């Protein structure tokens, strides 16, 4: 049995969430999920016999201090229970403070709900789909499906020129540019953190890492998976160290984000973090981190460009 708690601070959002999850549970025939609507985190009562619980929490800038206090008490009270939180926020407020303080990487915007993405988040947090693209492609990879593993000594450019020559010609010019940019950025990240053990401080001082030849030990092999269905393509890049952290991802993306009260991002001159931020604005971005074991970064791009609008964070971190 699983539980999903819907904790909304407004009646409208509470009703909307209840309608969404009632529909999703019905459509996916999940009689093992119990949906519980509450108006405060203090009313959440976790059942220790339940496998996993998931809590969707609507926050508001006007009552942020009270929300912070209540969320802190909630996490402390249920620290020994298998529970995950998802924040629902106003996209114009700076939601990074609460995300970092309470280590919550799953953030939805209150003005734009994408039902398939909400169900994918639910699968990843509630069930056993932590890694991989499957949760985001419920109908399978019916158009394209290829995997590659890179280790040994090879030319950096071979990653694009040779490995993906079957897929790149399938894309239009805009998507082709987007895909090649994503491959380059995510490969550099995987090499930096997963192969060369470059520290965050080193990366801050020197953003560029593009050697002509790369040598990757077998135990640090970089894995690529490219898939496509009739509405989108997806790319996952996985390293074998799990050295990236939720806090660092949130910190770097925040420094490149503009808000109503901060129109110029604090990190406008930063040497690192901009690539990942840009990818998150052009595509759907998902990051899964199993500390000290592996990091997976997923990029998805829809054929309908309207659907590529930045809609959510999906950043998951857990211990082995």
């Amino acid at each position: 049995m699983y539980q999903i708690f819907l904790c909304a601070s407004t009646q409208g959002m509470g009703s909307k969430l209840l309608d969404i999850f009632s529909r999703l549970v019905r459509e996916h025939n999940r009689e093992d999920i119990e949906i519980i609507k509450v108006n405060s985190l203090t009313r959440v009562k976790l059942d220790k016999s339940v496998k996993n619980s998931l809590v969707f929490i609507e926050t508001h800038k006007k009552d942020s201090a009270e929300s912070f206090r209540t969320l802190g008490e909630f996490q402390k009270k249920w620290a020994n229970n298998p529970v995950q939180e998802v924040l629902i926020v106003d996209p114009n407020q700076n939601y990074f403070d609460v995300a970092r303080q309470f280590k919550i990487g799953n953030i939805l915007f209150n003005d734009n709900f994408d039902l398939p993405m909400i169900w994918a988040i639910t699968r990843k947090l509630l069930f056993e789909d932590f890694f991989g693209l499957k949760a985001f492609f419920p109908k399978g990879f019916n158009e394209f499906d290829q995997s590659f593993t890179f280790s040994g000594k090879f030319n950096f450019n071979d990653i694009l020129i040779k490995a993906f020559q079957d897929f790149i010609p399938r894309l239009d010019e805009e998507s082709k540019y987007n895909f090649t940019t994503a491959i380059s950025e995510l490969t550099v990240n995987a090499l930096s953190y997963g192969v060369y053990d470059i520290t965050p401080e080193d990366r801050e001082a020197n953003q560029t890492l593009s050697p002509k030849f790369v040598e990757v030990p077998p135990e640090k092999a970089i894995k690529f998976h490219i898939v496509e269905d009739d509405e989108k393509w997806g790319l996952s890049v996985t390293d074998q160290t799990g050295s990236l952290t939720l806090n660092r991802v949130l910190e770097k993306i925040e420094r490149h984000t503009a808000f109503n009260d901060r129109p110029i991002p604090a990190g406008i001159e930063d040497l690192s973090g901009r690539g990942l931020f840009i990818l998150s604005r052009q595509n759907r971005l998902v990051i899964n981190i199993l500390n000290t074991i592996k990091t997976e970064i997923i990029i998805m791009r829809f054929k309908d460009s309207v659907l590529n609008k930045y809609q959510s964070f999906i950043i998951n971190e857990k211990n082995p």
Side-chain angles (χ1 to χ4, degrees):
M1 192 68 183
Y2 304 92
Q3 290 180 325
I4 297 178
F5 291 89
L6 310 176
C7 181
S9 55
T10 61
Q11 182 62 35
M13 181 59 70
S15 299
K16 184 176 182 178
L17 288 173
L18 184 59
D19 179 66
I20 286 172
F21 279 97
S22 298
R23 173 181 165 187
L24 287 172
V25 167
R26 185 171 60 252
E27 287 181 355
H28 294 278
N29 194 28
R30 297 299 308 223
E31 296 180 358
D32 56 345
I33 297 178
E34 181 183 13
I35 309 296
I36 305 168
K37 180 183 173 185
V38 296
N39 57 15
S40 170
L41 281 175
T42 60
R43 295 184 176 274
V44 173
K45 306 296 182 184
L46 299 181
D47 186 340
K48 293 185 178 181
S49 66
V50 171
K51 291 182 181 179
N52 286 305
S53 298
L54 183 57
V55 184
F56 285 78
I57 306 164
E58 182 188 19
T59 66
H60 273 292
K61 187 175 183 179
K62 62 181 180 181
D63 60 358
S64 58
E66 178 65 16
S67 296
F68 278 32
R69 183 187 66 77
T70 305
L71 184 51
E73 292 175 354
F74 171 81
Q75 288 190 339
K76 183 177 180 180
K77 179 179 181 179
W78 303 106
N80 296 322
N81 286 69
V83 59
Q84 299 275 359
E85 300 101 359
V86 177
L87 293 180
I88 301 171
V89 303
D90 182 332
N92 296 311
Q93 75 179 83
N94 189 338
Y95 39 82
F96 289 100
D97 286 343
V98 64
R100 287 201 312 273
Q101 180 176 340
F102 297 104
K103 300 186 184 304
I104 300 175
N106 290 279
I107 303 170
L108 301 176
F109 293 158
N110 61 12
D111 62 349
N112 197 344
F113 275 75
D114 183 318
L115 267 63
M117 194 61 69
I118 290 176
W119 183 243
I121 293 173
T122 300
R123 285 182 59 172
K124 280 194 166 290
L125 297 180
L126 213 57
F127 310 140
E128 303 299 325
D129 293 323
F130 188 78
F131 287 107
L133 290 148
K134 185 178 178 182
F136 304 100
F137 291 78
K139 297 179 182 178
F141 317 132
N142 56 318
E143 297 289 333
F144 193 90
D145 184 1
Q146 278 192 345
S147 298
F148 304 93
T149 299
F150 278 96
S151 64
K153 189 173 183 178
F154 55 89
N155 189 310
F156 183 82
N157 291 327
D158 285 350
I159 295 176
L160 278 177
I161 296 171
K162 294 183 179 179
F164 306 119
Q165 59 185 345
D166 292 338
F167 183 69
I168 291 177
R170 300 170 60 89
L171 304 174
D172 60 34
E173 287 304 311
E174 182 180 357
S175 292
K176 188 179 299 184
Y177 173 79
N178 189 271
F179 179 80
T180 55
T181 300
I183 286 288
S184 179
E185 174 68 24
L186 298 186
T187 302
V188 167
N189 276 342
L191 288 170
S192 298
Y193 299 115
V195 177
Y196 296 132
D197 300 321
I198 292 175
T199 66
E201 292 73 23
D202 291 336
R203 193 77 194 275
E204 296 289 352
N206 182 14
Q207 182 190 20
T208 305
L209 173 68
S210 12
K212 183 175 181 181
F213 290 98
V214 177
E215 188 163 2
V216 180
E219 68 274 14
K220 293 186 176 182
I222 301 172
K223 298 181 179 180
F224 299 86
H225 191 193
I226 310 167
V227 301
E228 185 181 10
D229 63 12
D230 56 0
E231 69 169 1
K232 63 186 177 298
W233 56 260
L235 162 70
S236 73
V237 180
T238 305
D239 70 53
Q240 307 303 312
T241 59
S243 60
L244 194 62
T245 66
L246 168 64
N247 191 65
R248 177 161 175 80
V249 174
L250 291 172
E251 177 189 2
K252 298 310 298 182
I253 293 182
E254 178 184 9
R255 287 187 59 79
H256 291 283
T257 302
F259 294 99
N260 287 347
D261 59 349
R262 195 182 67 194
I264 299 177
I268 194 168
E269 296 182 353
D270 287 3
L271 293 176
S272 66
R274 185 174 291 110
L276 200 60
F277 168 79
I278 292 173
L279 288 178
S280 76
R281 286 321 200 245
Q282 297 174 340
N283 315 270
R284 302 292 182 90
L285 174 68
V286 179
I287 301 177
N288 300 311
I289 303 165
L290 183 58
N291 288 323
T292 74
I293 303 296
K294 68 178 178 179
T295 298
E296 174 189 55
I297 301 183
I298 294 173
I299 293 291
M300 288 173 286
R301 188 166 182 83
F302 288 77
K303 297 172 184 178
D304 180 353
S305 60
V306 174
L307 298 175
N308 291 316
K309 180 183 177 183
Y310 179 73
Q311 298 191 48
S312 61
F313 281 110
I314 306 179
I315 309 171
N316 301 301
E317 179 184 47
K318 69 178 183 179
N319 295 318

